[in-house]
Amino acid sequence: AAPDPSPSVSESGAAAIPQPLPLAASTDFDPQGGDGTENPDLVPLATDGDQETAWTTVAYKRSSMNPKDGTGLLLDLGLARPIRAVEVDFYGSGTDFEIRVGKEESAAASDYELLAGAVAAGESITIRVPIPVETRYVLVWLTNLPYQEGTYIGGIREVQVLG
């Protein structure tokens, strides 16, 4: 039988294909850092659409960033919206990370609900949510950094929240 030439359309139509959501703000998230920041001037490079630029962590002596639990980027959608996926392109390969979400801003990573995570992630990863999660804040929380350039350094070349 010949395939049906007309594409099938679900009830929700185009909404079924996750689309990038606009960000109201993105900030570095380093609650356990000495000054509470982690290269804040580089944050815009993680959402500029350019794979050649990146927000990077400072250099660490240990992959775990001990005594800190981690560092990362906090993305603010401006209002609570259903999210379906988070796409992250990392600076380097081998980062351990978590995607955490919350409806209210907080100073502690543990206050955000753990959505998903991965160990030793490749340079590009997409976390898909089986059922859309309503959230305003998305935290990309790096918990273990890859060894590169003679030190432990991580970062994000590009990140997108899809809804």
Side-chain angles (χ1 to χ4, degrees):
D4 184 347
S6 62
S8 62
V9 178
S10 65
E11 296 244 352
S12 54
I17 300 167
Q19 300 294 322
L21 296 173
L23 297 176
S26 55
T27 53
D28 55 310
F29 189 82
D30 192 34
Q32 298 165 322
D35 64 358
T37 67
E38 187 95 7
N39 287 341
D41 51 321
L42 300 180
V43 171
L45 300 179
T47 56
D48 64 357
D50 184 350
Q51 288 287 343
E52 300 302 309
T53 63
W55 166 81
T56 55
T57 66
V58 296
Y60 288 90
K61 292 183 177 139
R62 297 177 193 90
S63 63
S64 66
M65 296 170 274
N66 191 21
K68 296 193 324 189
D69 294 328
T71 189
L73 291 183
L74 184 63
L75 311 174
D76 179 359
L77 299 174
L79 63 150
R81 307 176 79 139
I83 68 165
R84 295 170 173 267
V86 180
E87 292 179 352
V88 186
D89 295 322
F90 290 104
Y91 179 80
S93 186
T95 302
D96 293 4
F97 77 99
E98 297 172 347
I99 301 291
R100 294 180 163 269
V101 296
K103 290 189 179 175
E104 295 178 14
E105 191 169 2
S106 173
S110 57
D111 289 345
Y112 294 90
E113 181 186 343
L114 178 63
L115 193 63
V119 175
E123 289 192 6
S124 186
I125 195 164
T126 300
I127 300 292
R128 289 184 178 81
V129 186
I131 298 166
V133 174
E134 182 109 352
T135 190
R136 174 174 173 177
Y137 295 96
V138 177
L139 174 61
V140 183
W141 184 238
L142 311 184
T143 57
N144 208 49
L145 304 177
Y147 186 77
Q148 49 190 354
E149 300 167 29
T151 187
Y152 292 96
I153 189 167
I156 298 170
R157 291 186 184 282
E158 283 299 309
V159 60
Q160 283 192 322
V161 179
L162 308 177

